[in-house]
Structure formats: C-alpha cells, structure tokens
Amino acid sequence: YQAKQPDRCDQALKYGAEALTAAGAAQVKPAEGVLQILQRCADSKGDSAANIRYATERVRNYPTRDYWGTAVTVALQNAEKSDARTLEALRMVLALDLMGSAGGYLQLAQLARDAGLPGEAEAAIRKGLASGLFTNPADKSRGDALLADAAAAATLDRKELPALEAEAKAAKTGDSDVLLAEAFLSYGQYEKAAEAARRALGKGVKDTNEANLLLGKALVGAGKGSEAAAAFAKVTGGDYRDLAPLWGIFATQGVPAT
C-alpha cells in the first residue's frame, strides 16, 4: 500500500497530524486503525520523527505488547548511531519485559559497562542468564565473562559511592549530582537517585533533559508513577526527546498485560 501509493501516505501524514491535534483538543481517543495507517506510512516514507510519534500515540491509546514492541523497535532504529540512545532504548525494552534474545541482554550490559555503570551491567546480564535465552554456548560464554567483569567492577564502584555523594553535595552546580543519580539508579537505589536528580535540577545543570529523565526513571522505580510522568514531560529536547514520552506512558500504565 505505502510503496504503490506514496501520494496517499503524503496526504495521510499531512492531515493525520491535524486530526490527532483535534482529537487531543476534544479529548477523544484517535481511531486505532487510523494510528496504524499513519505509523506505517511514516515508516514507509522514512520519516523517523513521525514514525516514533505515531508509534507512541498507539501505545498511549492502545497499550498492547505488540504495539509496545513496534514502538521500542522504532526507538532502537532511531538510536542506531548513538550508544547513549541505544542504551536508553534497551533499558525500556528491559523494563517492558520485551527482551527476546540473548543478544539484547549482551548489548545492554556491554553498553552499560562501557558507560561506567557496572552495577547496571551486572543486573542486566544476571537477568539475561536467568531468562532461558542463552542457549547458544558462545552467548553463554560471553555472558559469563561479562558478568564476572561487571560484578568485580561493581564491587569496587559501590565503595566509591559515599565519596562521590559527598563531592556532589558540596559542588555548586548540579552536574556531579547527575552522575550520582545515574550511579544510584544503576544499583536500584531509587529514592537516593531521585534525591540527587532533584538536587541537580535545583542547583542548575548543563542538561536539564538528562536530569529530568533520570528523575523520572528513579520515581518509576520508587513506585511514584504520576510524579515520574511529570518529570518525563519536562524532557523536551536532547538525545532522549523521543524516548521520554514512552517512559511517561510506561510510568502510568506499567508493563502491558497482553
């Protein structure tokens, strides 16, 4: 359909945005079929911004596992040239319990390890090895090696957290607090991560989008969905502008049941 009649997709994308705006103003749920056509047209036209927008609107209004799978696939495609964006998209895949291969766990763990987050790498690979997906001996061997490396690094990293916290609290700007929030988040210390992210925003940081994203994820972990959604809504630019709305939906809806 899209390849044979691109003119119809052009028209659909042109008027689809207007229709969605009108539906939102009227507080009416957009038709599921319309959103599906718009997302497919955006995909066929190579319009990555429209693609993620309509994929996001589908899960906002019709939060099925299939639609979430499409949304995170689009997010991963859009993130291909950035390790940071790819890591963030894979975090969402993991949170949604949609990781379908050993390769996904390995990639997430390696990216987290490379980003200086051994605790997150350790947690991810442990979950992966327990998932039953590591049936290939090569994957299992790589997973075991990555686990040993991440666990050893995490043991040392945890010991440094008190000093990092003291340094961040004493700093005049909030950039050190952002790093601290990310570290606490990687160890599942959600309340401490939220505290550090709030302190960072209060002091002022170079990247408020990143700080608000961290705050939102910390609040999700702490079970404060509505507060988390408010933090994600403040992410309006930067590398994570496309992923923040998806995190905001996840914060209030949780893992899709079907």
Side-chain angles (χ1 to χ4, degrees):
Y1 165 81
Q2 298 95 323
K4 292 180 181 179
Q5 301 186 54
D7 54 314
R8 291 193 177 184
C9 272
D10 287 339
Q11 293 173 3
L13 292 172
K14 177 181 179 181
Y15 296 111
E18 298 174 4
L20 281 186
T21 300
Q27 296 184 329
V28 176
K29 181 186 288 192
E32 184 175 5
V34 170
L35 288 174
Q36 187 169 351
I37 290 171
L38 289 171
Q39 193 266 317
R40 287 180 177 176
C41 278
D43 187 42
S44 73
K45 301 293 288 184
D47 188 337
S48 59
N51 198 357
I52 191 64
R53 178 188 178 191
Y54 295 127
T56 300
E57 286 304 314
R58 279 208 297 178
V59 296
R60 188 191 311 281
N61 292 282
Y62 305 96
T64 68
R65 288 183 68 82
D66 283 346
Y67 287 165
W68 266 110
T70 298
V72 294
T73 296
V74 173
L76 279 166
Q77 290 171 347
N78 288 359
E80 282 182 350
K81 296 182 180 179
S82 165
D83 284 350
R85 283 172 58 84
T86 299
L87 175 57
E88 194 59 42
L90 286 169
R91 286 167 173 158
M92 176 160 289
V93 175
L94 186 66
L96 288 161
D97 196 25
L98 291 175
M99 198 74 79
S101 70
Y105 284 107
L106 288 167
Q107 185 181 18
L108 192 163
Q110 189 62 63
L111 286 171
R113 182 71 181 92
D114 292 344
L117 299 168
E120 181 177 12
E122 179 187 3
I125 203 63
R126 283 192 187 281
K127 186 169 184 177
L129 289 169
S131 69
L133 294 172
F134 281 69
T135 55
N136 183 295
D139 288 339
K140 179 66 165 57
S141 177
R142 185 183 170 197
D144 288 340
L146 186 51
L147 175 59
D149 172 71
T155 297
L156 297 175
D157 189 55
R158 285 188 185 91
K159 294 178 181 179
E160 297 176 358
L161 279 178
L164 178 61
E165 183 174 18
E167 179 183 333
K169 286 182 175 179
K172 293 182 179 180
T173 64
D175 294 307
S176 294
D177 288 297
V178 168
L179 296 176
L180 180 66
E182 188 173 37
F184 278 136
L185 187 62
S186 73
Y187 289 111
Q189 298 185 40
Y190 302 119
E191 294 290 354
K192 280 182 166 281
E195 178 187 346
R198 285 196 176 103
R199 190 167 57 244
L201 289 163
K203 291 180 182 178
V205 292
K206 294 177 182 176
D207 190 346
T208 58
N209 291 306
E210 182 183 10
N212 275 306
L213 187 80
L214 286 167
L215 176 58
K217 290 191 294 181
L219 291 169
V220 167
K224 301 176 181 178
S226 59
E227 292 181 46
F232 291 130
K234 294 178 182 178
V235 180
T236 57
D239 285 342
Y240 310 115
R241 62 188 179 279
D242 294 337
L243 289 165
L246 288 170
W247 275 117
I249 296 167
F250 175 75
T252 55
Q253 294 184 358
V255 177
T258 57

